[in-house]
Amino acid sequence: MLELPQDLPIIERDVVRMVVRDAAGRILLFHTREQSAPELGEWWELPGGGIDEGEDYLAAALRELREETGIEAAPHQVGPPTWRRTASFRNREQRNLQHEVIVEVRLDVPGPDVNESGRFDYEKEAYFDFRWWPVSEVAENSGLFYPRSLPALIERFLAGESLDEPFELWS
């Protein structure tokens, strides 16, 4: 692993992120920014969040999906955690060190609007828009994403390949 910057207090946690795919095959991404680091600009990000004590990735994925989007999913709609990664980034005057698993969540309806009523205030500030993206547009896009490797790996992940990424120092 690369040397972790000692620039801010470090918060280490386990996280689940989701590739939420609708009935049309599009995936949900949040348009995001970090208020405490405007120099980072804006990027598109997979939904997800921390795995609470006593939770497994499945329970955390269902809870985070409901909190961040208002979408209710059933356990059978969540795939296995076949994409694993560790990343670090600056967030709200802290440095997050995250051990992430990424799962697919398959919806049987076209991508609904996002209901942000279950979000924390800091999430409402950071996630200022959303979009249901065709997978091919993500794969061909040269914009900024979290994970940064999303365009390069999304098609392999959705094809069922197991992915173990090296450490990513995102910011």
Side-chain angles (χ1 to χ4, degrees), residues 28-39:
L28 176 63
L29 296 174
F30 293 141
H31 208 185
T32 306
R33 64 179 162 238
E34 171 50 49
Q35 301 286 16
S36 69
E39 69 276 10

Side-chain angles (χ1 to χ4, degrees), residues 87-98:
S88 181
F89 56 88
R90 294 180 292 161
N91 181 45
R92 298 173 47 231
E93 304 299 331
Q94 302 176 126
R95 172 158 296 287
N96 284 25
L97 175 60
Q98 297 196 156

Side-chain angles (χ1 to χ4, degrees), residues 10-62:
I10 296 171
I11 304 298
E12 187 170 3
R13 65 187 193 151
D14 293 329
V15 168
V16 62
R17 291 212 174 259
M18 296 159 282
V19 175
V20 183
R21 190 155 50 154
D22 75 355
R26 300 172 304 168
I27 66 170
L28 176 63
L29 296 174
F30 293 141
H31 208 185
T32 306
R33 64 179 162 238
E34 171 50 49
Q35 301 286 16
S36 69
E39 69 276 10
L40 297 177
E42 300 173 353
W43 61 91
W44 292 94
E45 178 172 304
L46 292 174
I51 299 174
D52 291 341
E53 188 172 331
E55 277 186 323
D56 60 12
Y57 79 89
L58 178 59
L62 294 171

